[in-house]
Amino acid sequence: MGLRELDIAGLGAVTGYGWGREMLWRGLAAATPAARPQEDYGENGQGAPWAAIVPDGGETTDGPSRFQRAMRFAAREAIADATERGWRPGRRVGLLHAVVLGEVDLWKDFYLTHDGHVSVRSYLALMPSTPISTLMQEYGFHGPAMNVGAMCASGNAGLLTAKAWLDSGIVDDVIFVATDLSVTPENLQHFTELGVAITDTEPLQACRPFQEGSQGFIMGEGSVAMVLSHGTSNPYLHVLGGSMSHDAYHVTSIDPELTDITRCFTQALDNAGIAPEQVRYLNAHGPGTRQCDRAEAAVFDALFPDTAELYSIKPLAGHCQGAASAVEIAATALGYDRDLLPAPPLVATGHPRLLSGPTRPAAGLTVKSSIGMGGHNSAVVLKPPHIGRPA
C-alpha cells in the first residue's frame, strides 16, 4: 500500500489556452476548447487544421525554443504558487521532467535548416539535460534530476516516480514538470494518418469521449509543473497512491482482454489503501478513440460503484501527448480548489454516468487514468484536502 500522502503544493501551467494556470482555468471553467484553426499548418489546400498549440511567449532568456521557455515558466509559476501557499523547500529538492518528444522545433531546424552545422551553444540547447540543468541552477537545487517517459502516460509515471522518491527518503521535495510541445505539421499529419487525430472538425464535435459519434482527438500542447512534498499546510490535492502496468501486446492497440489495464486499476486502489466504493470520479484518459474509450468504460463499469461518474477534458485542452495526464491532474486540482470540476458539455448520447459541463464536486476520491501508446497503463488516486483519510 502507498506509504504517505503526497501533497500537490503548487501548480504552474502553459497550455493552448495561454501562459499561466489562470488561463488554463478560465478556459476549462468556461468549457471553451483551447484549439484553434492553425493557418500556418495547412498543406495541399486542405485548410487550417484544428490544434491546441501553445502560443509564443515566455522569457527569451529561458531558452531559444517554446519548449524550454514553457518548461521554465511552468516550473517557476508552480514554485512561486507553492511558496505563497506556505511551502518551504527542504535541503534535498529533486526534479523530474516527463517528456516524450523534446526539442522538435530545434531538431527540425538543426537538420533541415542548418544541415547539422550550429554553434556549440546551440547544439547544447538540443540536449534533454539542458532544461533540467538550467532550472536546477536557477534555484540552487541539488537533489536527483532526470527525465521520465511513458508516452501519453508520462504525467502519471512522473507523479508516481516522485512519490517513490519521497517515500524512500532520498528527497525532501520534488519539482515535477511534464512538457510536450510537439505539434509540428509533420507530427500532426502522421497522427491523422494513424486515424486518431482529427483536424477538420470543431473540437467538441470531433472529440466526444464516451459519447456516440466520436471521431478521435484534437492534438494539443502543454507544460504543467507541480511542487510535490509531504505534510504541506495548504495543498491542492493529496496523491494516495497508484500503479502502472504494460500490455506487452501491440505498439498502438490495447489488449482486448483488458487484463493488464484492469490489473493496473486494482493495484492502484490497493496501493492507495482504498476500496472501489470510495471512488467518486474517474478523470479518464478519454481521448475519444473507439478502443481507448471502450476499454476505460469497461473497467469503470466493472470496478466502480453506481454512484461514481467519469469525465475527460480532452475536448477542451486537447490531447497534450506526453503532458496529457499532468494537464488533466492540474484540472482536477484546480477544480477541487475552485469547487468546480471542468467537464466538457455532452453533445451526443453517451455513457449514463458521464458528467456534462462544469459540475460542483461531490465528496469522494478521484482516480486519474492515463493510457500511453505502446501498452502503457497508469492510474493514480487523488484525494481533495477537505476530506479525511479514507477509512
Side-chain angles (χ1 to χ4, degrees), residues 321-341:
Q321 304 299 309
S325 52
V327 171
E328 293 152 18
I329 290 169
T332 289
L334 290 168
Y336 279 123
D337 189 64
R338 315 293 172 87
D339 198 32
L340 190 72
L341 294 182

Side-chain angles (χ1 to χ4, degrees), residues 204-341:
L204 292 177
Q205 294 300 321
C207 183
R208 308 176 184 181
F210 311 106
Q211 300 172 64
E212 294 178 359
S214 185
Q215 302 173 56
F217 55 76
I218 302 294
M219 289 190 72
E221 296 182 326
S223 182
V224 165
M226 307 174 194
V227 175
L228 306 172
S229 191
H230 285 314
T232 61
S233 60
N234 188 25
Y236 285 95
L237 282 177
H238 302 295
V239 181
L240 301 185
S243 182
M244 295 191 71
S245 69
H246 198 281
D247 281 358
Y249 173 75
H250 193 272
V251 295
T252 59
S253 298
I254 296 172
D255 182 354
E257 298 296 322
L258 304 182
T259 302
D260 288 287
I261 189 173
T262 301
R263 177 171 62 87
C264 178
F265 274 74
T266 58
Q267 287 185 345
L269 300 179
D270 290 344
N271 181 259
I274 69 163
E277 292 74 23
Q278 294 168 291
V279 174
R280 189 62 178 79
Y281 297 106
L282 174 63
N283 177 344
H285 180 63
T289 61
R290 184 178 293 110
Q291 68 165 337
C292 281
D293 288 2
R294 282 180 176 175
E296 282 188 291
V299 175
F300 175 78
D301 290 338
L303 292 184
F304 297 119
D306 292 342
T307 54
E309 297 174 285
L310 77 161
Y311 66 101
S312 165
I313 69 163
K314 282 191 173 64
L316 302 177
H319 190 341
C320 298
Q321 304 299 309
S325 52
V327 171
E328 293 152 18
I329 290 169
T332 289
L334 290 168
Y336 279 123
D337 189 64
R338 315 293 172 87
D339 198 32
L340 190 72
L341 294 182

Side-chain angles (χ1 to χ4, degrees), residues 9-10 76-89 139 227:
R76 195 176 291 127
E77 185 180 40
I79 292 169
D81 183 38
T83 302
E84 291 175 4
R85 296 170 73 95
W87 170 75
R88 297 296 178 267
Y139 287 95
V227 175

Side-chain angles (χ1 to χ4, degrees), residues 101 104 180-194 197 219:
L101 295 175
V104 292
D180 196 309
L181 274 71
S182 65
V183 185
T184 64
E186 297 81 7
N187 285 337
L188 188 59
Q189 177 184 350
H190 282 291
F191 272 94
T192 303
E193 291 174 354
L194 280 169
M219 289 190 72

Side-chain angles (χ1 to χ4, degrees), residues 118-125:
V118 297
S119 67
V120 171
R121 182 181 181 88
S122 296
Y123 184 73
L124 288 175

